[in-house]
Amino acid sequence: MRIGFGIDFHQLAEGRALWLGGVQIPSPRGAVGHSDADVLLHAICDALLGALALGDIGQHFPNTDPNYKDIDSKILLGRCWDLVKGRGWRVVNIDSTVTLEAPKIMKYAGVMRETIAALLEIGVGDVSIKATTTEQMGFVGRGEGIVAYATVLLGRATGPEARTER
Ligand code: MG
C-alpha cells in the first residue's frame, strides 16, 4: 500500500464562484486561482501524486500555462487518477478536511463525495469530507482564505491483496 497527503490554499474574494469537491456552492465569495480554484480537489490531486512520489499539482499543471486557465478541477483530478491507475493502483479510501469560516458546506458534502467517488471509481463510503472553522483565528478565520487537507490510501489494483468487492 501507499499513502499520500495533500494540502492546498486559496484566497477568497467577492465575485468569484466557490467550487469545492467538484460542486459549485452558493456563496458571495469564492476562491481565487488560475483554475476554478477548487481547493479540495487540488488537495486530493496532491495526495494522489504524493502517494506515488509523482511530484505535485503545480509541476503537472503549471499555473502559468494558459491551457489550465479557469479549468474545471475535475479534469485535473481525472488526469491525476489516470496516472495512478495507469501504474496499477486503486484508491482504498480518502479522508479530507476543509477549513473555512463561511459558508457552511456540510450540506453539500454528500454530492461532493458522490462527485469525487465517481471520478476515482470508488464508493461514496470510501470518500470522507469534513469541515471546520478556525474559530475566527488567522487568515481562514478572517475569511481571507480557504484551506483543504487530504490523505489518500492506495492499494494494488490487481493481485491477491486487491479488493474483490466494491
Ligand atoms: Mg490550488
Side-chain angles (χ1 to χ4, degrees):
M1 291 193 159
R2 305 278 297 205
I3 193 166
F5 171 73
I7 183 169
D8 194 37
F9 301 74
H10 281 272
Q11 291 181 6
L12 290 170
E14 302 278 338
R16 283 280 299 187
L18 180 60
W19 285 91
L20 262 186
V23 176
Q24 190 172 1
I25 293 178
S27 171
R29 294 159 63 78
V32 179
H34 185 66
S35 66
D36 66 7
D38 189 322
V39 70
L40 177 55
L41 293 194
H42 293 181
I44 294 172
C45 283
D46 256 5
L48 284 171
L49 295 171
L52 297 182
L54 295 174
D56 64 36
I57 189 171
Q59 291 175 295
H60 288 267
F61 314 110
N63 65 8
T64 51
D65 186 334
N67 287 327
Y68 304 124
K69 179 87 181 106
D70 296 325
I71 194 170
D72 182 341
S73 293
K74 291 189 283 292
I75 295 170
L76 304 183
L77 182 60
R79 291 193 193 165
C80 291
W81 168 230
D82 286 342
L83 291 171
V84 170
K85 186 180 182 180
R87 284 166 171 76
W89 296 88
R90 67 186 169 86
V91 174
V92 176
N93 74 303
I94 295 175
D95 189 19
S96 66
T97 300
V98 179
T99 65
L100 81 171
E101 203 61 30
K104 297 294 182 197
I105 62 165
M106 284 310 281
K107 66 179 169 185
Y108 304 100
V111 64
M112 287 192 259
R113 292 171 65 207
E114 287 172 9
T115 302
I116 294 163
L119 281 166
L120 300 180
E121 303 176 66
I122 52 180
V124 174
D126 302 323
V127 181
S128 161
I129 297 174
K130 310 184 299 298
T132 185
T133 69
T134 60
E135 299 284 341
Q136 283 123 50
M137 293 181 287
F139 67 89
V140 171
R142 291 189 295 271
E144 295 168 7
I146 182 169
V147 185
Y149 308 79
T151 52
V152 171
L153 186 67
L154 303 182
R156 281 290 182 191
T158 56
E161 73 280 28
R163 183 169 46 181
T164 54
E165 62 193 66
R166 272 284 144 89

